[in-house]
Amino acid sequence: MTTQLDATTHRAGAGREKVVAAALDLFAERGVSGTSLQMIADRLGVTKAAVYYHFKAKRDIVLAVVRPALAELATVVEDAERERSQAVRTELLLVGLVDLLIRNRRLYAILEGDLAVAQILATDPLLAPLGERLVEALVGPGPDPGQVVAANLFLAGLKSVGSGGAAGIADAELRTYILDCAHRLLRRRRQPTGRPARS
């Protein structure tokens, strides 16, 4: 039997989802910086107070848009951290990260490179430690400098591709290309000896 409280909670949840969906559309059209709470209210055909009922500030809406993807990322990292084999751990991370990117291409394209988003995410207490854990799980214990550089290049490249650097490539094809590049970039190699190259 559904209680009045259950019905109210359901309506509130549905209202939040509508605000997030409208915000996502506007972010795609105008960017996060160019979208106001009033614009979101106008898109929904409600008052600004109705938006404030669900979210007190645009920052909260941005975090609501991003948090599901961050929760997925946290799950990918946690699954990898449970593996004993570094090879298996790295492969789980690569596949998990690439699949996460493919599922969220639109979100990446909207949010990546927007200074307003960067400032908002910088205040999220979950994000910084998650990024550190990701790199640690990717390179394993005692990595050489080359492995750390390769991991950071891969992660930076993933952001670039996700933010529109491969807009015309179909999902399945893009997944194959990224994983191929990642395997070549992150394969284990000897530490540089420091000897000068032959002329």
Side-chain angles (χ1 to χ4, degrees):
M1 184 174 177
T2 303
T3 66
Q4 187 174 356
L5 180 60
D6 290 335
T8 302
T9 302
H10 176 73
R11 283 196 301 273
R16 281 178 63 90
E17 289 176 10
K18 287 179 181 177
V19 171
V20 169
L24 193 54
D25 288 340
L26 283 164
F27 292 164
E29 295 168 18
R30 298 172 173 269
V32 173
S33 302
T35 299
S36 68
L37 289 178
Q38 185 62 58
M39 290 176 186
I40 295 170
D42 291 344
R43 178 62 59 94
L44 290 169
V46 300
T47 64
K48 192 173 177 180
V51 175
Y52 273 123
Y53 174 79
H54 298 289
F55 298 98
K56 299 307 177 191
K58 185 167 71 173
R59 172 188 181 278
D60 299 322
I61 298 175
V62 172
L63 289 174
V65 168
V66 173
R67 281 225 168 101
L70 291 181
E72 285 187 67
L73 176 59
T75 299
V76 169
V77 173
E78 288 162 8
D79 288 346
E81 287 174 336
R82 283 194 286 269
E83 292 294 334
R84 287 185 155 190
S85 163
Q86 182 58 45
V88 173
R89 190 181 304 136
T90 300
E91 188 63 18
L92 277 176
L93 280 169
L94 293 183
V95 171
L97 288 171
V98 172
D99 287 344
L100 181 60
L101 166 68
I102 297 297
R103 285 194 301 274
N104 292 278
R105 286 176 78 170
R106 182 181 183 221
L107 183 62
Y108 258 103
I110 293 169
L111 303 181
E112 189 58 38
D114 191 310
L115 292 178
V117 175
Q119 290 170 350
I120 290 168
L121 293 183
T123 67
D124 191 325
L126 300 176
L127 194 54
L130 184 57
E132 292 168 8
R133 286 169 56 201
L134 173 57
V135 174
E136 287 173 11
L138 201 54
V139 297
D144 65 54
Q147 290 165 337
V148 175
V149 169
N152 281 285
L153 281 172
F154 165 68
L155 294 172
L158 207 57
K159 286 183 179 180
S160 176
V161 169
S163 63
I169 304 175
D171 288 353
E173 190 178 4
L174 180 61
R175 183 181 190 274
T176 299
Y177 289 147
I178 296 175
L179 285 173
D180 180 57
C181 289
H183 288 136
R184 283 185 281 155
L185 182 62
L186 293 171
R187 68 177 180 267
R188 295 269 166 177
R189 76 199 83 170
R190 292 181 189 170
Q191 191 165 355
T193 62
R195 288 180 296 193
R198 292 181 181 176
S199 56

